[in-house]
Amino acid sequence: MSEHDDVGRQPGSIEDMVPEAVVSEPTVRDSAVRLVLASPLYRGATIALFLAGLGQSAAAPQIALFLTKDLGGSLTAAGLFYLTSLTAPVAGYLVGARSDRTGGRLGLFRVCAVAGFLGWAGIACATRLWMPFVIGAVVLGFAVASASQLFAAIHDELGVRPSAVGDGVVSIVRMALTAGWIVGPSAGAILAARFGLRPMLFTTALCAVAQLVPLGMLRTPPRSGSASPSRKTALPEVPLRMKVRTMGPLLLFTALYVLVYAGEPIKYAYLPIYMIDRLHFPSGIEGAIVGIQPLVELVLMPLSVLAARRIGMMRLMVVAAGFGVAANVCFATTGSAPGLFAGQILMGGVWGVFAALGIIMAQRLLPSAVATASAIFMSSTALSSALGGSVGGLGVGVVGLPHVFLVPATFALIAAIGLLLMDRSTRKSQASSSGPPEPNETSWA
């Protein structure tokens, strides 16, 4: 990198995650896509996360029908099932802490994938209403941690074999999970209609265990700085109990992410009802409005990585949270198809940024324990669903449709302000330091 290139570099950008020696090397022949295709770990993780997203998203819209139709539960009981995911952050932390202590990323990934198979297969075979609740809280909570172990393994591999396009690798792997969530709901609905709900849920179980196939017998990559891949004693020791002060930036960032994501369950619960019952849109228009967001998200994810190189990850996330405010204001005030399309396009911008960069930022905020950071961040969607579902249910009873969407708009505004303050604190600390921050480190005031 020339001196002129360094002048325009923003503090907190993705380049800070890559050693200077690596950034300065020519990367014309080195692309993220080539790296993913060439590496068994990156390629296998991409396929595995697509299967994970496919299975999870196929079951998500159908589980309430299974609880009410097959097990005779009430609508209230079906809604309470989603609260079982509140155990996911605890399970994720336990798995992440063990992973950081032992370094066995892929071994724990395989355990979590098998837990996913047992959990969904158990739910598919359930004969009593209480059984899915217990299985969901105990078994599936650990299954959610499988994805975080893959991202921790990728982080370790990039530490051993650094690349200037390492952030692009993470983005591509994350895009596979999003792609699975695009295909899954339709596939789940077709399977349920043709074969029934129990076979559909068992298919979700098969998707969970099928994650093992693309990674085969691949071994966990060594962490950066280890002398030999086969010597566990070479791995740097990571403390089991990290001080709250050390984890503070990660926990704050995750809490702000929870506020941004809390709008999603509110939107998916009430936007279709609003379009059908109040606006009387035909099904084609409704489906187009709902489906445009993930398409925009997929397009913007690689572009957000490039944008973050210029303006910084945290600053770009402030903009994305602002998009969330604008999107929910569109839902609450426009009452027209163009307005709702605009809102969904803006929401695609929100998740095009956070889906691509969120996991990278989480790992940066706790570089000494990336598996713990990944697990805490990725399990935060469970907290968001619980928050959005409960607040949305209360809000719609008080202010009604469409004004309930002002609630997630307020959440997103708080998140934008919080992220802006975090960004300013980081830049102020970097400016006052005697030297540039080390790679993969973030200073906090």
Side-chain angles (χ1 to χ4, degrees):
M1 181 178 292
S2 67
E3 293 181 0
H4 295 290
D5 292 334
D6 218 17
V7 171
R9 178 168 159 181
Q10 297 291 334
S13 63
I14 291 181
E15 285 91 337
D16 291 334
M17 299 178 59
V18 184
E20 187 66 29
V22 175
V23 175
S24 62
E25 294 176 358
T27 58
V28 175
R29 301 179 61 186
D30 192 19
S31 72
V33 174
R34 283 198 184 97
L35 276 180
V36 170
L37 293 177
S39 166
L41 174 61
Y42 303 155
R43 185 175 64 247
T46 302
I47 299 172
L49 285 180
F50 174 79
L51 292 171
L54 178 67
Q56 293 166 12
S57 62
Q62 306 298 328
I63 189 66
L65 290 175
F66 175 71
L67 294 174
T68 54
K69 291 186 176 182
D70 287 48
L71 299 183
S74 64
L75 290 175
T76 301
L80 291 175
F81 176 80
Y82 294 96
L83 295 180
T84 61
S85 60
L86 290 177
T87 61
V90 178
Y93 174 80
L94 294 175
V95 173
R98 179 170 180 80
S99 176
D100 287 322
R101 186 175 79 250
T102 64
R105 316 296 198 197
L106 296 184
L108 287 168
F109 158 75
R110 293 181 175 102
V111 171
C112 292
V114 171
F117 169 77
L118 296 176
W120 284 111
I123 291 176
C125 298
T127 56
R128 297 288 186 272
L129 183 61
W130 59 267
M131 295 173 68
F133 285 83
V134 174
I135 295 172
V138 177
V139 182
L140 293 184
F142 287 92
V144 173
S146 61
S148 65
Q149 294 308 297
L150 287 181
F151 282 111
I154 291 170
H155 180 278
D156 292 346
E157 180 72 10
L158 288 172
V160 175
R161 298 178 179 84
S163 170
V165 294
D167 50 315
V169 170
V170 177
S171 177
I172 289 173
V173 175
R174 182 60 180 81
M175 286 172 66
L177 185 63
T178 299
W181 274 86
I182 293 175
V183 179
S186 298
I190 293 172
L191 285 173
R194 183 165 186 143
F195 301 106
L197 291 168
R198 290 183 187 272
M200 187 281 304
L201 292 174
F202 194 77
T203 301
T204 296
L206 293 178
C207 285
V209 75
Q211 295 177 77
L212 303 177
V213 176
L215 288 161
M217 300 303 294
L218 196 65
R219 304 189 61 158
T220 299
R223 295 184 197 171
S224 179
S226 61
S228 170
S230 62
R231 293 178 57 191
K232 292 185 178 181
T233 55
L235 296 175
E237 293 186 3
V238 178
L240 269 175
R241 298 176 181 176
M242 281 160 289
K243 296 179 181 179
V244 175
R245 183 185 179 106
T246 303
M247 296 182 65
L250 170 66
L251 296 177
L252 176 58
F253 174 71
T254 302
L256 295 174
Y257 175 79
V258 166
L259 290 178
V260 176
Y261 196 91
E264 288 295 278
I266 297 175
K267 183 190 70 177
Y268 282 116
Y270 299 113
L271 187 60
I273 295 175
Y274 177 53
M275 290 189 290
I276 295 172
D277 293 348
R278 301 293 181 86
L279 301 179
H280 306 292
F281 286 171
S283 59
I285 296 294
E286 178 209 353
I289 291 174
V290 171
I292 194 172
Q293 175 187 322
L295 295 178
V296 173
E297 178 182 340
L298 274 179
V299 171
L300 292 183
M301 284 179 72
L303 298 179
S304 67
V305 173
L306 299 177
R309 288 180 179 273
R310 294 186 173 275
I311 68 175
M313 282 193 289
M314 192 70 76
R315 185 175 290 180
L316 187 61
M317 290 178 185
V318 173
V319 176
F323 285 169
V325 177
N328 283 289
V329 169
C330 286
F331 298 149
T333 60
T334 56
S336 65
L340 299 186
F341 268 115
Q344 282 288 79
I345 292 171
L346 287 168
M347 289 304 298
V350 174
W351 300 118
V353 172
F354 278 97
L357 304 176
I359 188 68
I360 301 175
M361 177 59 74
Q363 291 178 344
R364 277 191 67 192
L365 296 177
L366 198 63
S368 61
V370 294
T372 302
S374 302
I376 290 175
F377 176 77
M378 298 201 69
S379 60
S380 64
T381 54
L383 298 177
S384 301
S385 297
L387 174 64
S390 57
V391 173
L394 294 173
V396 77
V398 175
V399 300
L401 286 172
H403 296 108
V404 69
F405 295 111
L406 294 176
V407 175
T410 303
F411 285 163
L413 179 61
I414 296 172
I417 294 173
L419 291 168
L420 180 61
L421 293 177
M422 287 185 72
D423 180 61
R424 287 183 176 179
S425 177
T426 305
R427 293 171 187 276
K428 181 180 178 181
S429 180
Q430 289 174 345
S432 62
S433 63
S434 57
E438 293 295 326
N440 289 330
E441 282 190 10
T442 302
S443 302
W444 293 92

